[in-house]
Amino acid sequence: MTRTDRLRPFVAATLALAFATPAAASARTKAHVRLTTSTLVHGDQILAGDGSVVSRRRLVQRLGLLVRPAEPTPWTFHADLRLATDAGLDQPGARPAGLEARSVDLRHATLEGRGLWGGLTDVTLGRQYRWDTSDLLAFDGVRTLVHGPLGLGVEMFGGLIVRRDASWLGSSDLDPDGRVTTSEQTPTVGARLSLDGGTRGRGSAGWRRAWRSGDTVRELITAAVTFGPRWGLRPDARALYDMHLQRPERLGAGLSWGLPGGLEAESRVERVRPSFDADSIWPYFSGGASDNAWGALRWRSVADATAWLRAGRRWFSEGEEADEAALGAGAPVGRAAFARASLRRRAGYGGDWASAMLAGAWTPGGSGGLELD
């Protein structure tokens, strides 16, 4: 029995629970229900067991559900399920050990409450993604954010890090298949202090620790600061320091500029030094440091149509280079739907890959929500 076969009962139960959530609302409750779907065709190069490079093609389907009851209910349920299957290998006989032809991932499933206890506290329960400047984390647990005076925020969180072989329906984003991983649980805890100064800018400082078998495998300090209003010229800087390895892992600076007509331009430079066998989900192709530079241009109309373009280059410590480019666009379709498409391409050191995505969202009942009995 394959891993996918073993997970089918759990997937069925998860979907039943997710789609039963709206029915759990009280009689004649007005709620905002949003269904999303996306189809991704992805091609990349992976290293086979004999050291050769194999081209792999994947078809990925994502299904999402969001349920937000009307006021005064403060809770929102959000889930995202992903199903992926191989669409072909150039050398089927060279398939690396552990490479899965099909997989099912629960990327996130959260119950989020906002404005609790006097409107000062937000709570998120379940599988969730969390950004902290340069640190991106997925974990099963709880996160609490307390809003203080003068734009002050205090955040605390804890749980088990999502890993492909250690978590129920663990996402392969975190531990790509075809590589050696651990089935041992990795707890993590952390905190962050933030300050929103309005037109003067924003800043934050955070700490996070993770351990396995009682030994620390990850301890990070993060810091970020942005100067200026949300629109206009905004310089920023961010840093991530690994206390366990006693070295900076990510240092970067950027410049954003809000332009007339809904345009926004952004440029960024950074140095990255990855930590392997840790818990960060950033995809790295090199064990040494790399210098990255990229620029982006985004546009949003008053009718919520969007378009974006991004291009960049990486210079690796091994003397190699890689180029990346992406573009996309989206627009509302009537009152109840939204469609989006994007293309991504990478070429150079670490292997070539390309992907194309078509995504859509539908709100039953239109923008006014859905009447649930």
Side-chain angles (χ1 to χ4, degrees):
M1 180 180 291
T2 66
R3 178 174 182 260
T4 302
D5 293 332
R6 291 195 301 269
L7 291 176
R8 283 175 181 168
F10 298 103
V11 174
T14 301
L15 287 175
L17 177 63
F19 284 92
T21 301
S26 59
R28 304 302 296 175
T29 297
K30 193 76 170 181
H32 179 85
V33 179
R34 189 171 180 86
L35 305 175
T36 61
T37 180
S38 66
T39 300
L40 174 69
V41 179
H42 182 83
D44 60 3
Q45 292 180 319
I46 56 176
L47 194 63
D50 59 2
S52 62
V53 176
V54 179
S55 294
R56 182 192 195 191
R57 292 173 292 278
R58 299 274 281 171
L59 181 65
V60 181
Q61 183 70 43
R62 288 177 56 183
L63 305 171
L65 170 68
L66 182 145
V67 181
R68 183 186 297 119
E71 298 293 344
T73 305
W75 294 96
T76 298
F77 175 77
H78 192 193
D80 184 2
L81 186 72
R82 182 177 63 179
L83 303 93
T85 182
D86 275 358
L89 286 175
D90 284 353
Q91 304 173 38
R95 177 181 292 272
L99 195 67
E100 298 177 342
R102 287 174 291 275
S103 64
V104 181
D105 307 330
L106 184 63
R107 303 192 75 230
H108 65 261
T110 60
L111 186 63
E112 182 177 1
R114 289 184 173 272
L116 306 176
W117 300 299
L120 299 178
T121 306
D122 300 337
V123 176
T124 304
L125 306 170
R127 177 162 298 176
Q128 52 195 290
Y129 282 85
R130 179 188 172 280
W131 282 92
D132 183 359
T133 60
S134 301
D135 183 29
L136 177 58
L137 173 69
F139 68 99
D140 295 327
V142 59
R143 182 177 72 97
T144 302
L145 174 62
V146 179
H147 302 276
L150 305 176
L152 184 67
V154 179
E155 177 188 5
M156 294 170 288
F157 62 93
L160 297 176
I161 292 173
V162 176
R163 305 193 72 106
R164 177 171 54 89
D165 293 332
S167 306
W168 178 65
L169 294 183
S171 174
S172 59
D173 280 347
L174 318 182
D175 289 308
D177 56 350
R179 55 173 269 195
V180 177
T181 62
T182 177
S183 59
E184 194 172 348
Q185 298 287 359
T186 308
T188 187
V189 295
R192 185 178 69 153
L193 184 67
S194 60
L195 180 64
D196 190 341
T199 58
R200 295 187 298 273
R202 297 165 299 284
S204 67
W207 165 85
R208 179 166 72 84
R209 183 188 178 203
W211 61 93
R212 194 180 305 134
S213 300
D215 296 326
T216 298
V217 295
R218 189 89 157 153
E219 188 167 11
L220 302 176
I221 293 178
T222 61
V225 60
T226 301
F227 301 97
R230 296 187 181 275
W231 288 99
L233 194 62
R234 305 186 308 279
D236 69 79
R238 58 186 65 178
L240 186 151
Y241 185 83
D242 192 324
M243 297 178 63
H244 180 56
L245 298 178
Q246 296 185 350
R247 71 184 189 191
E249 183 171 309
R250 202 176 191 96
L251 299 171
L255 185 65
S256 301
W257 190 11
L259 302 170
L263 285 173
E264 182 180 9
E266 182 179 3
S267 61
R268 183 167 299 281
V269 294
E270 59 183 0
R271 165 156 284 208
V272 177
R273 187 180 181 91
S275 297
F276 285 94
D277 193 29
D279 56 40
S280 178
I281 75 171
W282 292 99
Y284 294 117
F285 304 98
S286 168
S290 65
D291 295 315
N292 310 325
W294 56 266
L297 185 64
R298 291 180 286 269
W299 169 77
R300 177 182 293 273
S301 73
V302 292
D304 286 335
T306 61
W308 52 272
L309 173 67
R310 170 174 166 160
R313 170 166 287 193
R314 294 186 180 186
W315 294 267
F316 295 90
S317 59
E318 290 85 352
E320 304 285 348
E321 299 178 359
D323 295 315
E324 300 180 9
L327 58 89
V333 181
R335 295 178 58 250
F338 191 89
R340 184 175 70 251
S342 65
L343 297 172
R344 298 176 184 269
R345 179 78 167 94
R346 182 187 189 282
Y349 186 59
D352 300 343
W353 61 260
S355 65
M357 184 183 71
L358 181 63
W362 174 53
T363 303
S367 57
L370 183 66
E371 196 81 19
L372 300 176
D373 293 321

